[in-house]
């Protein structure tokens, strides 16, 4: 199978030029002007932007969490991702405390094998670091191709590890060429505030927000940066939301340390006023919660300052009946919101089309940096000869409206109902195959492959 993409404006993290792309099998074979290969299929990309397929390194598919499961599985989640221009996702395996990492991997493979439409990889979340877990780290990095290890400084009693475990894990991960991702909020402070609000009978979604003030994130982000600096282990803070936390990372740069930072699309464009509408606010109950307008400004600036490296989603959808589990108590509302399908278009519309970021920056934070940080570059994350033909064709001027009625995520509301978006995904290729065209998915479940990742060194 061969495809020739003609006359597109090719954008990578560094380049911007008009050329043709010839694809044979799964990879890009030739890039040049006026190519005349006889291809099985020719796509006219005149007027379109031709960019690397999006990489979302923070999603939760079919994940057991807070007494239920996130509502998108590997099939529905990766298909929705493709509709939105994201060709590869990285999901989180959760270790059960008291059990091995290997048993968690087996459980996740059981849900993902032969079910994904788009490509995927795994981070391994270590929730119980001990002498047995320690022995498994090298195997995960060298044999499984899973080189990033997620830690939680919150969700006390379920997922949280203490600083002693964190330091031990960092030493082991650094030794073998991996990286630590962290949910950096202070679990003890949050626990205290949740209990306080519940005791006072303050049970609405607003109190989810008020139980996780900025200081809980700023403190943990600084502590994590200090531990990463002390151990020399590459670190990546997931879903960073606020000025205080970003300033902790900024401070770390003064000692020539770079902690990678991910924010998520919702923290750039939504704010905490959404929690004021009584239980409706449950749609946006996530951890950390939405913040203030001043934090949005800090995050957009952080992208341009090179402090925020990745814009992900933390896609963790729950249907409304699942959100209702917490109708009488905010602490029982499953945390998370759906965005896997909306990220690329929202970031384009709010970022590029509103003049906040350049086209090159858009590609960098939506695809290239994630590929580099997590050991998939240049197979993924760019348009170059030899790279996987994961390609997004986007019309920068077409406008449309986001809605539950048109999205493909398995959730019965949209966090962005009625948003006017300028910039539309037109065609998506995954490893040389037409994935999305004319608002239709052309791939079946099982096409999506697990992506083995390389060792990393904390540099991009
Ligand atoms: O609210 C969130 N973020 N849910 C998913 C779990 C996590 O903390 O990433
Ligand atoms: Zn988290
Ligand atoms: Zn998450």
């Amino acid at each position: 199978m061969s495809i020739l993409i003609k006359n597109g404006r090719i954008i990578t993290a560094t380049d911007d030029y008009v050329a043709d792309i010839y694809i044979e099998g799964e990879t890009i074979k030739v890039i040049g002007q006026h190519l005349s290969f006889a291809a099985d299929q020719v796509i006219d990309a005149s007027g379109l932007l031709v960019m690397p397929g999006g990489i979302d390194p923070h999603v939760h598919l079919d994940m057991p969490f807070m007494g239920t499961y996130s509502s998108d599985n590997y099939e529905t989640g990766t298909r929705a991702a493709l509709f939105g221009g994201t060709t590869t996702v990285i999901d989180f395996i959760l270790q059960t405390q008291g059990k091995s990492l290997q048993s968690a991997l087996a459980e996740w493979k059981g849900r993902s094998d032969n079910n994904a439409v788009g490509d995927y990889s795994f981070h391994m979340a270590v929730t119980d670091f001990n002498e047995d877990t320690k022995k498994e780290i090298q195997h995960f990095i060298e044999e499984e191709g899973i080189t990033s290890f997620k830690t939680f400084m919150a969700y006390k009693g379920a997922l949280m590890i203490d600083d002693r475990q964190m330091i031990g894990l960092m030493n082991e991960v650094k030794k073998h060429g991996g990286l630590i991702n962290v949910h950096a909020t202070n679990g003890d402070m949050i626990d205290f505030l949740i209990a306080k609000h519940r005791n006072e009978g303050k049970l609405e979604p607003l109190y989810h927000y008020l139980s996780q003030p900025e200081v809980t994130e700023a403190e943990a982000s600084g502590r994590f940066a200090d531990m990463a600096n002390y151990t020399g282990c590459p670190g990546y803070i997931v879903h960073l939301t606020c000025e205080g936390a970003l300033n902790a990372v900024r401070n770390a740069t003064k000692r020539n340390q770079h902690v990678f930072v991910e924010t998520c699309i919702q923290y750039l464009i939504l704010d905490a006023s959404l929690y004021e509408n009584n239980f409706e606010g449950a749609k946006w109950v996530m951890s950390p919660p939405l913040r203030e307008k001043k934090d949005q400004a800090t995050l957009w600036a952080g992208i341009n300052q090179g402090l925020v490296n990745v814009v992900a989603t933390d896609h963790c959808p729950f249907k409304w009946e699942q959100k209702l589990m917490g109708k009488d108590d905010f602490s029982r509302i499953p945390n998370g919101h759906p965005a896997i399908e909306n990220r690329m278009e929202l970031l384009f519309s709010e970022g590029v089309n509103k003049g906040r970021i350049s086209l090159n920056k858009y590609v960098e934070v939506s695809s290239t940096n994630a590929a580099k940080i997590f050991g998939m570059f240049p197979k993924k994350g760019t348009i170059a000869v030899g790279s996987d033909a994961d390609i997004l064709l986007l019309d920068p001027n077409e406008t449309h409206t986001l809605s539950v009625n048109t999205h493909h995520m398995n959730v019965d509301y949209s966090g962005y109902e009625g948003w006017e978006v300028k910039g539309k995904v037109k065609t998506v290729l995954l490893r040389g195959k037409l994935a999305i065209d004319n608002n239709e998915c052309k791939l079946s479940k099982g096409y999506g492959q697990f992506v083995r990742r390389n060792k990393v060194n904390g540099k991009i």
Side-chain angles (χ1 to χ4, degrees):
M1 177 74 188
S2 57
I3 298 180
L4 183 61
I5 303 176
K6 298 281 292 174
N7 305 317
R9 181 173 166 199
I10 300 174
I11 314 289
T12 68
T14 47
D15 298 313
D16 181 346
Y17 58 103
V18 175
D20 303 339
I21 301 174
Y22 178 65
I23 297 158
E24 222 174 59
E26 297 197 342
T27 54
I28 296 171
K29 285 285 181 264
V30 183
I31 302 174
Q33 310 237 300
H34 314 299
L35 298 183
S36 57
F37 293 93
D40 297 323
Q41 189 176 1
V42 178
I43 298 174
D44 180 14
S46 308
L48 302 181
L49 301 175
V50 180
M51 301 184 280
I55 298 176
D56 187 344
H58 191 153
V59 306
H60 301 278
L61 302 176
D62 215 352
M63 181 179 79
F65 190 52
M66 296 186 72
T68 184
Y69 280 77
S70 56
S71 60
D72 264 318
N73 59 25
Y74 282 82
E75 181 183 357
T76 62
T78 59
R79 189 193 294 124
L82 287 169
F83 272 108
T86 292
T87 45
T88 303
V89 302
I90 314 185
D91 190 30
F92 293 85
I93 302 172
L94 301 183
Q95 177 192 16
T96 302
Q97 291 178 343
K99 292 195 178 169
S100 69
L101 303 184
Q102 223 18 270
S103 66
L105 174 60
E107 201 187 309
W108 256 257
K109 279 185 177 169
R111 288 196 281 268
S112 59
D113 276 2
N114 303 315
N115 281 330
V117 186
D119 283 359
Y120 65 98
S121 190
F122 292 133
H123 306 285
M124 181 67 235
V126 178
T127 62
D128 185 3
F129 184 70
N130 53 46
E131 283 308 308
D132 293 330
T133 324
K134 185 176 173 185
K135 294 188 193 113
E136 296 187 90
I137 300 297
Q138 182 172 8
H139 173 85
F140 267 73
I141 294 176
E142 292 178 359
E143 308 301 326
E144 304 290 355
I146 296 174
T147 53
S148 46
F149 296 84
K150 170 79 177 289
T151 56
F152 292 92
M153 296 169 85
Y155 300 122
K156 201 170 159 62
L159 303 171
M160 178 170 153
I161 61 170
D162 62 24
D163 294 348
R164 182 182 177 154
Q165 293 182 75
M166 180 74 86
I167 295 280
L169 178 63
M170 282 178 164
N171 282 332
E172 198 61 19
V173 167
K174 173 191 156 62
K175 188 157 100 194
H176 298 293
L179 168 144
I180 301 279
N181 330 41
V182 67
H183 173 127
T185 58
N186 184 316
D188 283 305
M189 286 174 82
I190 293 168
D191 233 39
F192 170 83
L193 288 168
I194 291 173
K196 174 179 178 296
H197 288 132
R198 291 177 76 205
N199 285 339
E200 291 168 356
K202 296 172 173 166
L203 299 169
E204 299 81 32
L206 176 66
Y207 292 95
H208 169 79
Y209 163 63
L210 294 174
S211 298
Q212 302 199 32
E214 181 170 5
V215 62
T216 60
E217 195 178 333
E219 185 282 329
S221 300
R223 182 156 41 100
F224 176 78
D226 287 345
M227 291 188 280
N229 189 50
Y230 174 69
T231 58
C233 185
Y236 176 102
I237 300 178
V238 304
H239 56 39
L240 185 143
T241 69
C242 59
E243 187 181 6
L246 195 63
N247 281 342
V249 173
R250 198 186 309 276
N251 264 338
T253 66
K254 295 177 188 160
R255 58 192 174 205
N256 203 24
Q257 181 190 12
H258 189 79
V259 178
F260 296 122
V261 171
E262 165 200 287
T263 191
C264 298
I265 188 64
Q266 59 271 26
Y267 300 120
L268 288 163
I269 62 176
L270 303 179
D271 68 73
S273 60
L274 288 167
Y275 297 122
E276 284 160 16
N277 301 332
N278 290 326
F279 198 71
E280 179 80 5
K283 289 178 184 167
W284 299 279
V285 163
M286 62 184 84
S287 293
L290 299 174
R291 302 282 186 203
E292 308 297 322
K293 293 253 187 268
K294 60 106 182 153
D295 298 299
Q296 294 177 1
T298 298
L299 294 174
W300 285 112
I303 291 176
N304 286 320
Q305 291 158 345
L307 283 172
V308 176
N309 310 103
V310 171
V311 178
T313 58
D314 192 7
H315 177 73
C316 192
F318 295 101
K319 291 188 175 175
W320 191 242
E321 64 169 1
Q322 294 173 290
K323 288 283 184 181
L324 285 172
M325 290 164 66
K327 69 179 183 341
D328 299 321
D329 177 355
F330 70 87
S331 72
R332 296 189 197 281
I333 301 170
N335 285 200
H337 106 304
I340 203 167
E341 186 170 352
N342 305 133
R343 175 186 70 126
M344 297 293 280
E345 289 179 340
L346 281 170
L347 183 63
F348 191 87
S349 188
E350 295 292 316
V352 178
N353 268 335
K354 291 204 171 156
R356 292 171 167 133
I357 59 172
S358 71
L359 274 170
N360 298 117
K361 195 50 119 174
Y362 173 76
V363 172
E364 189 186 316
V365 298
S366 67
S367 179
T368 311
N369 277 350
K372 288 182 174 172
I373 292 168
F374 294 111
M376 296 186 278
F377 189 84
K379 176 180 166 66
K380 304 287 189 192
T382 194
I383 293 186
V385 172
S387 294
D388 281 3
D390 298 351
I391 297 178
L392 160 62
L393 275 66
L394 184 139
D395 182 335
N397 296 314
E398 186 171 329
T399 55
H400 59 118
T401 306
L402 302 183
S403 172
V404 63
N405 299 320
T406 46
H407 77 202
H408 302 84
M409 298 176 282
N410 186 33
V411 57
D412 49 2
Y413 56 87
S414 169
Y416 304 94
E417 190 63 42
W419 271 69
E420 291 288 325
V421 171
K422 186 174 173 195
K424 173 107 180 67
V425 170
K426 301 299 285 183
T427 302
V428 178
L429 271 60
L430 173 58
R431 281 182 285 105
K433 275 237 161 81
L434 201 56
I436 302 294
D437 202 32
N438 268 330
N439 292 317
E440 260 181 53
C441 183
K442 307 286 186 187
L443 298 176
S444 311
K445 80 169 180 175
Y447 183 76
Q449 281 183 1
F450 174 72
V451 182
R452 289 178 60 85
R453 294 183 284 113
N454 298 321
K455 290 189 181 189
V456 294
N457 62 7
K459 306 261 184 301
I460 49 174

